[in-house]
Amino acid sequence: MNITVFTPLLKYVHGVYNAVVLLFFLYQATLGLRIRKERLAGGSPPSDLSRKHRILGPVLAFLGISGFFAGMTIVYIDEGKIFARPPHFIAGMLITLCILAVVFASRKISVRKPAWRDRHFILGIILILLYLVQAFLGTRMLLESGKITSFLS
């Protein structure tokens, strides 16, 4: 069986997968904001929040980067080139680079290097914004192609 038969379905799976990853990143952001708020108030954040944030971070980094490579693979199978949708590809690449930067910044956070906390925070905000742009671009592509209505009917 030829895999190109499944590419229309894989595009939707890719979109849903990354939408779920975005929701998890939003959850991760709320944990980070709660931790940051507690720190700025002079206290120490609850250990369960910090633990969840530290455990979920690497998992989400892996899931986010996997989503980019899955999308790139689907486009290559469907169109024969990975740069077929330049805005969506560039946004995905920026997300991947931002994820790597967020992970790098998180590893540098320490008592002696508190500036990395702010860098981690800013990069996290940029990451969420890039994901929202990416979701908009992906949804727009599906709607403009008219395939979403034919797929749903």
Side-chain angles (χ1 to χ4, degrees):
M1 179 177 276
N2 192 345
I3 194 162
T4 57
V5 174
F6 296 107
T7 53
L9 177 62
L10 290 175
K11 289 178 183 180
Y12 295 104
V13 171
H14 168 71
V16 170
Y17 170 87
N18 281 299
V20 171
V21 171
L22 170 59
L23 292 175
F24 277 116
F25 268 114
L26 289 171
Y27 172 71
Q28 179 77 337
T30 61
L31 292 177
L33 285 173
R34 289 170 58 193
I35 292 166
R36 184 175 179 83
K37 181 180 173 185
E38 189 64 38
R39 268 193 214 290
L40 292 175
S44 64
S47 62
D48 63 325
L49 285 183
S50 296
R51 187 178 71 255
K52 284 179 190 177
H53 191 72
R54 277 193 313 274
I55 291 171
L56 191 56
V59 173
L60 288 178
F62 175 77
L63 294 176
I65 293 170
S66 296
F68 171 70
F69 284 105
M72 209 168 45
T73 303
I74 293 165
V75 169
Y76 183 76
I77 290 168
D78 191 42
E79 313 244 356
K81 55 185 175 180
I82 60 171
F83 210 64
R85 309 273 188 246
H88 196 63
F89 176 82
I90 291 168
M93 179 60 78
L94 290 173
I95 287 170
T96 299
L97 293 173
C98 194
I99 288 171
L100 293 172
V102 168
V103 170
F104 177 78
S106 73
R107 299 291 183 230
K108 292 290 187 177
I109 295 171
S110 71
V111 175
R112 292 181 297 164
K113 300 177 185 176
W116 284 101
R117 258 185 233 292
D118 291 334
R119 293 174 188 145
H120 180 72
F121 172 69
I122 291 166
L123 288 166
I125 291 171
I126 292 169
L127 177 60
I128 296 295
L129 293 174
L130 285 170
Y131 253 107
L132 293 173
V133 167
Q134 183 73 325
F136 170 77
L137 291 171
T139 303
R140 193 179 79 186
M141 281 186 333
L142 287 174
L143 291 174
E144 286 176 355
S145 72
K147 292 180 182 176
I148 196 165
T149 53
S150 64
F151 179 76
L152 296 174
S153 55

